[in-house]
């Protein structure tokens, strides 16, 4: 009987397993898929690096660097090719470059912002009013919609915040909790009384940071894609402790012992269980352990999305690409959510420079049904959108589709209050921990933090 059972071998479960290993604990990890990494999934194909889920992590969060340093694969980390940094936004059917100095959704440089045709003059003046609008008086949660329209106005919401910021969660601004999804913005308002002032301060702090020799960019990845992160953690753990193809169906608790039932009839007994699975899976598994907890977990919202990577010969693409890609606001009423020129944004993504790798995003809160289209319909839809928006008629050499049903947790207004109740119930259960993207951060660094903290909390309990 292992002391610890980790259920779920995504990046969260792997981080938990690694922490247990470091602490010399007796553990096993089970994963239902035939691979480790969960949404962190990269396919390597004839020199192409094809990301299924995340294609980067945020460099301002230290957890990926930390684990890579501890396991000595830091040298595999790469930055973006920032000479091509521009991102475009589709507006009125045309692509407009995001004005230089626009950070997240906040303008920090006056002249490029003033000259940009993306936002109308009344819209620009409204955004500038952020400098004068008093900070929110109470501490109540509010939606991203309410927060952005209050501080920057409706045009900023529709053209910038919704596709750029809401898009990170594939969510609906009217529902998303700003406190749970973007605590940084709330903190900026609280501390500086203005997002513009807050962003200028963040920019100054970033440029004053101690300079390192390495190329630190806002988004970072690995030479062989994000899969290299999962792969290196797995490589450093004893393989007899990690199992794929094992799905848990039920957990029970009796006399200080958890019993986890698997689909193949096996029962694993352990003193501790770490559920590193999405909240809807955790809800099903914990039904018999604690009904109230299971009900609260089941209330977590999720959005589905799909990524379609298309490989082209550069000579077939009618123009030279020198940007990271574009995002599509929902007011444009299109299916495409965003498109990334992966091989321009990153090095090491194509076998040689005669190829172009493009990644399209479908689904999200507004077009969930697209995620479940038959393969050929999905590809035709993406190619039609690319033709419409970019005028590109070229046929790809090949494509790869990844579907993520209920792949992205939605932190809706009230998420943090529900989380408090969940955490209280979990705390009362000896030996139980929940970790992962359903709770306090969906990004890969947040998941690593959550997995490692789950172990520390159990050891200190
Ligand atoms: C399309 C997409 C793009 C993204 N882009 C980024 C990005 O660029 N940067 C970023 O930081 N984040 C990004 N994210 C978010 C990030 O990838 C995820 O939040 C994170 O990978 C989730 O990790 P996890 O381990 O918590 O969950 P998962 O990856 O979902 O892992 C959970 C694992 O548990 C297993 N499991 C579930 N139930 C059971 C069971 N009963 N028994 C056994 N095993 C079970 C599953 O098979 C899965 O492998 C993106 C997400 C998506 C979907």
């Amino acid at each position: 009987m292992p002391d610890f059972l980790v259920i779920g071998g995504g990046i969260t479960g792997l981080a938990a397993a690694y922490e247990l290993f470091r602490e010399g604990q007796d553990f096993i990890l089970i994963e239902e898929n035939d691979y480790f990494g969960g949404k962190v999934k990269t396919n390597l194909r004839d020199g192409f690096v094809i990301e299924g889920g995340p294609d980067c992590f945020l460099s301002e969060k230290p957890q990926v660097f930390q684990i890579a340093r501890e396991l000595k694969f830091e040298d595999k980390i790469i930055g973006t090719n920032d000479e091509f940094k521009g991102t475009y936004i589709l507006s009125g059917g045309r692509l407009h470059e995001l004005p230089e100095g626009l950070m997240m959704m906040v303008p920090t440089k006056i002249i490029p912002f003033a000259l940009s045709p993306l936002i109308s003059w009344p819209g620009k003046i409204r955004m500038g009013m952020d400098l004068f609008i008093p900070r929110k008086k109470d501490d109540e949660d509010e939606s991203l919609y309410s927060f952005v329209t209050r501080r920057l106005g409706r045009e900023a919401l529709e053209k910038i915040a919704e596709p750029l910021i809401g898009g990170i969660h594939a969510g609906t601004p009217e529902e998303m909790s700003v406190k749970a999804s973007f605590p940084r913005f709330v903190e900026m308002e609280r501390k500086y009384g203005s997002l513009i002032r807050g962003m200028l301060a963040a920019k100054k702090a970033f440029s004053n940071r101690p300079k390192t020799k390495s190329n630190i960019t806002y988004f970072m990845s690995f030479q062989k894609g994000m899969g290299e992160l999962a792969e290196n953690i797995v490589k450093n753990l004893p393989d007899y402790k990690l199992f794929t193809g094992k799905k848990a169906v039920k957990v029970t608790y009796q006399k200080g012992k958890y019993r986890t039932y698997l689909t193949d009839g096996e029962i694993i007994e352990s003193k501790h269980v770490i559920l590193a699975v999405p909240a809807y899976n955790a809800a099903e598994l914990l039904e018999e352990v604690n009904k109230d907890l299971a009900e609260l977990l089941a209330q977590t919202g999720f959005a589905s999305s799909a990524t379609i990577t298309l490989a082209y010969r550069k000579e077939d693409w009618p123009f030279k690409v020198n940007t990271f890609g574009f995002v599509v606001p929902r007011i444009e009423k299109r299916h495409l959510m965003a498109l990334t020129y992966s091989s321009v944004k990153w090095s090491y993504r194509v076998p040689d420079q005669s190829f172009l790798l493009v990644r399209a995003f479908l689904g999200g809160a507004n077009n969930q049904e697209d995620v479940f289209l038959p393969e050929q319909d999905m590809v035709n839809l993406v190619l039609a959108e690319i033709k419409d928006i970019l005028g590109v008629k070229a046929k790809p050499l090949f494509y790869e589709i990844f579907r993520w049903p209920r792949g992205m947790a939605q932190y809706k207004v009230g998420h943090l209050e529900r989380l408090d109740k969940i955490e209280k119930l979990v705390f009362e259960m000896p030996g139980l921990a929940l970790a992962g993207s359903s709770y306090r951060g969906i990004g890969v660094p947040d998941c690593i933090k959550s997995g490692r903290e789950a172990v520390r909390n159990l050891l200190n309990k």
Side-chain angles (χ1 to χ4, degrees), residues 46 78 124 175 185 207 245 292 339 347 368-369 408:
D46 304 328
I78 57 168
K124 285 175 185 157
E175 291 185 342
F185 291 142
S207 54
D292 294 340
L339 183 135
S347 302
Q368 296 279 287
E369 60 289 349
M408 203 74 103

Side-chain angles (χ1 to χ4, degrees), residues 7-14 30-33 35-40 52-58 168 219 226 246-249 262 276-278 280-282 284-285 305-307 345 359 361 402 404 407-409 435-438 441-447:
I7 306 179
I11 197 64
T12 305
L14 292 176
I30 56 165
E31 161 58 48
E32 85 170 273
N33 286 330
Y35 69 92
F36 294 111
K39 278 154 202 124
V40 176
D55 77 338
C56 66
F57 62 92
L58 287 184
I168 298 172
F219 301 112
M226 291 297 286
K246 284 196 182 289
K247 177 175 177 166
V249 281
L262 310 191
V277 296
Y280 56 86
N281 290 127
E284 283 165 18
L285 290 170
S305 61
T307 64
K345 185 174 175 185
R359 187 159 87 135
F361 294 78
F402 295 83
W404 301 109
M408 203 74 103
S437 61
S438 302
I442 60 159
V444 169
D446 303 308
C447 291

Side-chain angles (χ1 to χ4, degrees), residues 349-382:
R349 294 296 174 261
V350 281
D352 67 61
Q353 284 311 310
S354 64
F355 297 99
L356 176 71
L357 202 65
V358 172
R359 187 159 87 135
F361 294 78
L362 288 180
N366 303 315
N367 288 308
Q368 296 279 287
E369 60 289 349
D370 290 346
V371 177
F372 307 98
L373 285 173
E375 180 171 319
Q376 200 52 54
D377 293 356
M378 188 186 277
V379 176
N380 290 343
L381 177 69
V382 168

Side-chain angles (χ1 to χ4, degrees), residues 132-298:
F132 311 105
I133 292 172
R135 54 169 71 80
K136 191 164 178 276
K137 292 206 174 57
D138 61 63
D139 196 31
E140 286 287 292
D141 196 4
E142 65 183 318
S143 67
L144 179 67
Y145 177 95
S146 147
F147 180 82
V148 178
T149 49
R150 184 167 59 73
R151 292 236 55 98
L152 301 168
R154 197 185 170 95
E155 203 174 333
L157 174 93
E158 288 180 342
K159 292 188 179 166
I160 304 177
E162 182 272 324
L164 212 58
I165 311 298
I168 298 172
H169 288 244
T172 319
E174 287 79 356
E175 291 185 342
M176 294 169 78
S177 151
V178 71
K179 254 179 146 181
S181 310
F182 306 104
R184 195 172 164 208
F185 291 142
V186 179
E187 179 57 17
M188 276 182 185
E189 180 182 35
R190 197 192 58 74
K191 195 162 165 195
Y192 298 96
S194 144
L195 294 179
I196 297 177
R197 274 197 291 274
M199 219 33 121
L200 285 169
K203 203 170 151 185
K204 197 166 162 204
F206 187 75
S207 54
N208 288 345
R209 75 196 187 284
K211 296 279 179 285
T212 54
K213 267 187 258 156
S214 52
N215 168 24
I216 301 286
T217 53
Y218 191 67
F219 301 112
M220 309 282 302
S221 184
F222 290 84
Q223 284 174 15
K224 288 190 186 150
M226 291 297 286
E228 204 168 0
L229 169 64
E231 192 188 302
N232 272 282
I233 301 176
V234 171
K235 223 163 62 187
N236 280 282
L237 295 173
D239 55 6
Y240 59 89
K241 289 184 181 283
L242 308 179
F243 298 90
T244 52
K246 284 196 182 289
K247 177 175 177 166
V249 281
K250 183 172 79 171
V251 179
T252 61
Y253 179 70
Q254 233 180 4
K255 296 189 190 135
K257 219 163 48 185
Y258 288 93
R259 304 186 95 205
T260 299
Y261 296 75
L262 310 191
T263 38
D264 59 10
E266 191 185 342
I267 300 171
I268 302 173
E269 293 190 340
S270 59
K271 272 196 225 146
H272 306 87
V273 170
I274 299 175
L275 286 152
V277 296
Y280 56 86
N281 290 127
E284 283 165 18
L285 290 170
L286 293 175
E287 187 70 22
E288 288 192 22
V289 172
N290 187 321
K291 227 178 164 37
D292 294 340
L293 177 57
E295 265 171 30
L296 285 166
L297 287 168

Side-chain angles (χ1 to χ4, degrees), residues 335-350:
H335 291 270
L336 202 61
M337 280 202 291
L339 183 135
T340 303
Y341 295 113
S342 308
S343 57
V344 177
K345 185 174 175 185
W346 307 103
S347 302
Y348 306 101
R349 294 296 174 261
V350 281

